[in-house]
Amino acid sequence: PVENVFLVSIGSDVPLGIHEARVVGRYGVSNPRAFVVGTLSETHEASENESAANAMPVSPETTVNGRAQGVNPDFYRLELELGQRVIIDLWGQRIDSQIDATLAICKANGETIAASRDQHFRDPFLDFTAPAAGPYWIKVYDFIYEGGEERFYRLSISGAPFVEYVFPPAVLRGAAASQVTLFGHNLPGASP
């Protein structure tokens, strides 16, 4: 055992989504901490990814778990094909982090192509289609350049569909059939 370190096992029958954990001990019960059960490959950010030159390579269908480090942004290098579409979703506030994250996609020369803040509460989100084949840099930082243990994030990169909402938001129970419309990004057969 390592002092103040807990190992958590997630059963294969645990549903996807946000869950909360508490610790019960001699002095009572802790505050809840959120964690996410997902479907993408999980990795931790590289410790030396604080410049574009040292960007951590990532690929679609990956989630990176990282922490904001104050004035130094985190960089990730993503290779895309011409017209390849990716959904880049950063989770911070939604999992009880103190980060007020900013997310940007940059070219090799540092020029920002797209940026996002506060799309889902205080969490950024980008739906990006590559205008050319080649590398792109994903830049993540805290908006007020704070860092530390309480400014963690989950950065997910995926080509999967992303549902924003369903309309109507409720249907009549027991009805023979109900028709709903999905609104979101990268939905099969969808139109803008």
Side-chain angles (χ1 to χ4, degrees):
V2 177
E3 189 174 327
N4 296 321
V5 173
F6 300 89
L7 298 177
V8 178
S9 297
I10 308 297
S12 60
D13 60 339
V14 174
L16 300 175
I18 299 176
H19 300 273
E20 290 186 343
R22 293 178 187 264
V23 177
V24 178
R26 181 181 348 174
Y27 301 110
V29 180
S30 71
N31 292 335
R33 290 310 306 238
F35 67 94
V36 179
V37 176
T39 60
L40 304 178
S41 298
E42 299 268 340
T43 189
H44 294 284
E45 78 169 303
S47 60
E48 302 298 321
N49 67 332
E50 296 176 350
S51 70
N54 293 331
M56 178 181 164
V58 292
S59 60
E61 311 314 318
T62 301
T63 295
V64 179
N65 295 285
R67 277 190 168 75
Q69 299 301 322
V71 297
N72 299 318
D74 293 334
F75 286 91
Y76 301 95
R77 188 173 189 263
L78 177 65
E79 290 281 340
L80 296 174
E81 299 297 324
L82 170 66
Q84 186 175 356
R85 187 175 184 181
V86 289
I87 305 298
I88 304 171
D89 191 15
L90 188 142
W91 288 55
Q93 181 187 20
R94 291 176 282 176
I95 54 172
D96 298 332
S97 174
Q98 296 299 313
I99 192 170
D100 186 0
T102 299
L103 178 63
I105 298 179
C106 306
K107 293 182 181 178
N109 64 5
E111 176 187 349
T112 298
I113 301 171
S116 175
R117 274 195 70 230
D118 303 342
Q119 181 73 26
H120 296 151
F121 303 101
R122 275 192 341 215
D123 295 341
F125 174 92
L126 285 171
D127 181 347
F128 180 72
T129 302
Y136 293 89
W137 281 260
I138 300 171
K139 182 178 175 182
V140 176
Y141 59 95
D142 186 84
F143 182 69
I144 58 172
Y145 297 102
E146 290 286 334
E149 294 295 314
E150 292 298 317
R151 285 181 162 71
F152 51 88
Y153 61 85
R154 286 176 54 85
L155 176 69
S156 295
I157 306 159
S158 176
F162 185 93
V163 176
E164 288 275 357
Y165 63 96
V166 177
F167 190 84
V171 294
L172 184 61
R173 183 177 69 173
S178 298
Q179 184 172 348
V180 296
T181 303
L182 301 177
F183 292 86
H185 305 267
N186 214 17
L187 300 175
S191 59

